[in-house]
Amino acid sequence: MTEPIDKKELKMKIKEILEDILPHVQKPITYTGNEVNAVHKNLENIVIRYAMAFPDTYEVGMSHLGIKILYALLNEEEDIWCERVFAPWIDMEAKMRSAQLPLYTLESTTPLKEMDFIGFTLQYEMSYTNILNMLDLAQIPLLCEEREESDPIVMAGGPCAYNPEPLADFIDIFVIGEAEESLPEIMEKYRNHKKNGGSKKDFFQSLTDLEGVYVPAFYDVQYHSDGTIAGWTSTNNAPFPVKKRFIHDMEHVYYPDRFVVPYAKTIHDRVNLEVFRGCGRGCRFCQAGIIYRPTREKSVDCVMKDAENILKSTGYDEVTLSSLSTGDYTGVEKAVQELLKTYDEVGINLPSLRIDSLSVDLLEDIQKVRKTGITLAPEAGTQRLRDVINKGVTEADLISTVTAAFEKGWGHIKLYFVIGLPTETEEDLDGIADLAEKVIDAYFQTNKELRNRRVQLVISTACLVPKPFTPFQWMGQDTVETFNDKQNYLKKRIKNRKITYNWHDATLSYYEAVFARGDRRLGKVLLEAHRLGCKFDSWAEVFDDKKWQRALEQSEIHPDFYAHRERDTEENLPWDIIDVGVSKEFLISEWQKSLSGEHTPYCKEKCSACGIADFAKGYKCHEQYHRI
Amino acid sequence: MSNTIEFKFSRGESLRFLSHLDQQRVFQRALRRAEMPVANTQGFNPRPILTFALAMPVGMTSLEEYGRVGLTADVSPEVFLNKMNKSLPSGLRIESAKKLEVEGKVPSLTASITDCLYRVQGALAIHSDETQLADIVNNILERESLIIPKRNKRGKMIEKEVRPFIDQIEILEVKDGRYLLDMHLAYISQESIKPELVLETLNQTWGSAIFDLDPGLKIQRKKMNLKKS
Ligand code: SF4
C-alpha cells in the first residue's frame, strides 16, 4: 500500500495548517505526537490502519493503562499500524473547524477517515458526546447506518461497553471484556476479509462466531407500552447473550515493554505496573468489582520483569502498582521491597489501599522522606450502612489506621464517601460528620512528639450512580434535590476548620445514571446533545445542563425513567444482552442481603459462587492467588 | 564538579512547542535511558544536577543551547554525545560535548552568556520593503534610550530601559507582507530581553504597529555566545 499523490498532498496541507494554528492554542505539544516510543511504520508493509481513540484530552487519555496495552499489542503485528487520537480541547477544535482541518492521528498526521478502524475507549458515560464530536471532526458520519463502505469501522470497548446500548447507533463493533485476545482475533478476520473482499456487513457477519464481540446492528429490541424491554431478536446468527472475554492467565498475558512517553505532564505520568485484575471484595455499589471478576494476580517476578523493561525504555523514575485494590495484592509487600532494593532512585505509588495498618507500613516504606497524604475510603458513615454495601471495614479499623498514620507523621488525610446509598438516613450522614470529628480527635490524642504539626482532613462525597451488573442495578437513584439537601446538610454539620468538605455535582451524577443504565433509545439524545454543542461533559467548566435539558426535551426522552425508577428484578434490562459471568441470581441475592445488611465474604476467604465457575468451565479462582 | 559534561544542543521544528519544564523532563528521561550516571543534589528532595544556560520558551527553535550535567563517574564526551543522541527524541540533538576541566568554582552557564543572535520571521503590519523597513528600524535605534512599560517579576508595571540590550537589527528580507530579520541581543549582568519585547518597543516608539505580534511569530536562537573561560 503506497500512498497516492493526493493523499500525500493532503497530509502536507494538514501540516501547513497545523503550523498556522498550533501557536494559538493551549498545550500545542499535545497535538504533535513524535514522543519517545511512539510507533512509526513504513506504509508499504501495512494492511490494517487502526486509530486508538480516547474521547478526552491527551493528558487524560495518555494516563490510561488500557490503551497503552492495546496500542503496543496491535503494533506487535507487522502489518498493523496502530496510532493514537484524542479529543482536541475547545480552543483547538475551534481552530480546526475554521481551518476545515479534519481530525488526524498523532503519529502520521493522517485524517481518521483513512483508517480501517477507529477504536474508542469508554471509561465514563460523560465522554459519549466527545465520541460523536470526534467522529464529526473527522468528517465521518455519526450513525452506523449512514456510513459508507469506504468509511472506517468504528469500535468501542472498556468498562462502559458492558452496557453498550446507549451507543448502539454509533458503534459498529463493541469489544466486550478484556481485549488482549479478542482484538487480534478481530484483526485476523479483517485481514481475511480484505483478502477475500466483500462488504462491511460480510465482515461483521464473520465476527459472530467470536466470543466477546457485540455487533448491535444484528439485534432488534422490542418494548412494552410502559417503555420497558419486552425482548430481543438476534439476526444473522448473532449470539445472545454476548459473553465477555477475560484473560485466564495474567502471568503470561501480553504486557508492553515500552510505553509512549508524553512530553506534556499527564495525570499519571509514570510506569504503570499492573499487579492484578478483578477484585473479590464484593462492595455492592462497585461495578468494577463485578465486571472484572475473577481476581487474577501476576507473580512478583513477572511484575519485576515488567518494571525493568519499561523503566529502561521510558526513563521514568516513578512506578505505580496498579489494580482495583493494590493493598489486596498477595505480593504487595514483596513487590515494594524488591522495587526499593533494585531501584533506589525510583519512586513508588500505591493507589487504592485498604483501611488497615499494613497499608500504613507500606506507605511508610515508600514515602520515607516526603509524606504526601493518605486516601482512605470508608464509603459510608455508619456500620449499618457499611454492612449494606458490604464494605468490610469498621470504625475501629479506620481509627487505628489513621492513628498509625498520625504516629508516623502524616498530617493530611482524605476520606471518600458515597451518598445516596440504599436505606441511607440522616443518621448515616451524621455518621460521616462524626467519623470526621473522630479522626481529628485521633490526631490530638497522638503523641505530640510523633505527630505532624498540622492536621488537615478532606471529606469527599460522591453521589451514587447505580451501575449495571451491580446488586444496586435495580434501585432508583436519589433525585438531584435530595442529593443537594444531603450535601447542604453535611456542609452545615462539618464546621471544624481542620476539615474540608468536597462534594460532587449531583446534576452530573444524574446524567451519568441515565446513560449508565440507558438503552438504545438514548442514541437520539446523544445526537441532539451533540448538535447543541455538548462536549467534555465531565469537565465542570464546559458541562452545560441547559443544553442537555433541551436535548432531552427535543428527543422526547424522560430521563427519570432511567435514573429514578426502581426496577423489578424480573424486568428485562438493556444490558441483559451481555453476560459478564456473574449470574443474575447472585446479584439478586446480593441485593436482598444488602437490604438486611448481611455480609458476603471476600473471595480469597470463601467463595460465594457468583457464577464465574459456571461461566468459564474449568476455571478455578483460588488457583490465581498465592503466587509468591 | 570534577565529572561535569558541558554540551551544546539544538532544538528543531518538531519540538518547538516544548515548554522549558517539559524539556527538562525530556533530558532527565533521556539521561536515564542512556544509563548516564547522573549525580544528584543533596538534601531532602534530591534532583539530578542538570542546568541550562537559558530557558527555552514555547515555540522557539534553536541552533545553539548549552547545558551541563554532573555525573558520578567518568564518561567520555564522545560516549555521552553518541548515547544521548540515540536516546533523545528527534528534534533535540546534542551538537557537541566537552568535559568541564576547571578547578574550584566555575561560573554558571547563565553567567557566561555575553550575547545571543535571533532570527525572527513574521508578518508586517505595514506596507514596506527591505530598505524602508531597515530605515525605520535604524532610525529608532539611533536613540540612546528606549523605554517601555513592562511587568516586572512581581507583576508590577515598571518603565524599562531596553536600548542597551539591542546590539543590532538586520533586516534580511521583506516579501509578501512578511519579514525576516536577525537580532543581536546583549546580556548585561545576566539580564537580557526577549526578541518579542524588542519588536514591541519598536512598535511603540514608532507610534503604531510595524510588526504583527501575534503568536504565529517564528523565532530561532541562532547563536548563544559564552565568555571564554
Ligand atoms: S467464583 Fe467465587 S471466588 Fe470466584 S469470583 Fe465468584 S465468588 Fe469470587
Side-chain angles (χ1 to χ4, degrees), chain A residues 19 22-24 28-29 32-36 261-265 269 311-317 345 369-370, chain B residues 13-18 22 25-26 28-29 32-33 35 38 40 44-45 58 87 89-90 214-216 218:
Chain A
E19 283 233 342
L22 285 178
H24 303 266
I29 196 75
T32 53
N34 191 29
E35 307 95 322
V36 167
V261 190
Y263 294 117
K265 193 120 188 75
D269 201 8
L311 282 168
K312 216 181 189 153
S313 63
T314 58
Y316 274 118
D317 62 349
E345 283 175 12
V369 190
R370 258 193 334 152
Chain B
E13 284 287 327
S14 60
L15 288 182
R16 62 183 274 234
F17 294 117
L18 280 185
D22 294 340
R25 274 200 306 271
V26 169
Q28 287 168 9
R29 286 170 187 163
R32 273 186 236 112
R33 284 192 301 272
E35 297 180 340
V38 179
N40 283 322
F44 270 137
N45 197 7
V58 175
S87 140
S90 64
D214 94 342
K218 273 195 151 178

Side-chain angles (χ1 to χ4, degrees), chain A residues 293-294 603 607-610 612-613 621:
Chain A
R293 277 187 188 216
C603 286
C607 172
S608 306
C610 71
I612 284 291
C621 283

